[in-house]
Amino acid sequence: LSPSSDYIGPYPPSGDTHVYEIYVVALRAPVEKVKCAFNATNPKFETAITNLDTDGDGNEGNIIAFGHIAGKFTS
């Protein structure tokens, strides 16, 4: 890994309880690009996930399964 692609772990606000949410989406075909912020609040996250359902050729039904888990952390 190059320094710019190294994993940087979560950094919750100090003193607060923070909820981490993890989504996993299984796709039939790869998607070239996802317009979505992954390192900040993302008000259009649901739209980004919905857009994954269309593959690069414009075919719908690209999502074959998904999962979601949430957990709380208090510093």
Side-chain angles (χ1 to χ4, degrees), residues 31-71:
V31 175
E32 285 291 318
K33 218 177 213 186
V34 178
K35 293 182 179 181
C36 187
F38 289 102
N39 197 19
T41 299
N42 189 353
K44 295 184 180 182
F45 181 75
E46 194 170 315
T47 301
I49 296 298
T50 301
N51 289 340
L52 291 174
D53 200 35
T54 304
D55 67 17
D57 295 328
N59 302 310
E60 292 184 1
N62 199 38
I63 295 176
I64 55 176
F66 66 91
H68 170 252
I69 189 170

Side-chain angles (χ1 to χ4, degrees), residues 7-44:
Y7 173 75
I8 299 173
Y11 40 93
S14 62
D16 286 340
T17 296
H18 184 73
V19 177
Y20 286 99
E21 296 186 71
I22 299 168
Y23 292 82
V24 177
V25 182
L27 304 175
R28 290 185 196 285
V31 175
E32 285 291 318
K33 218 177 213 186
V34 178
K35 293 182 179 181
C36 187
F38 289 102
N39 197 19
T41 299
N42 189 353
K44 295 184 180 182

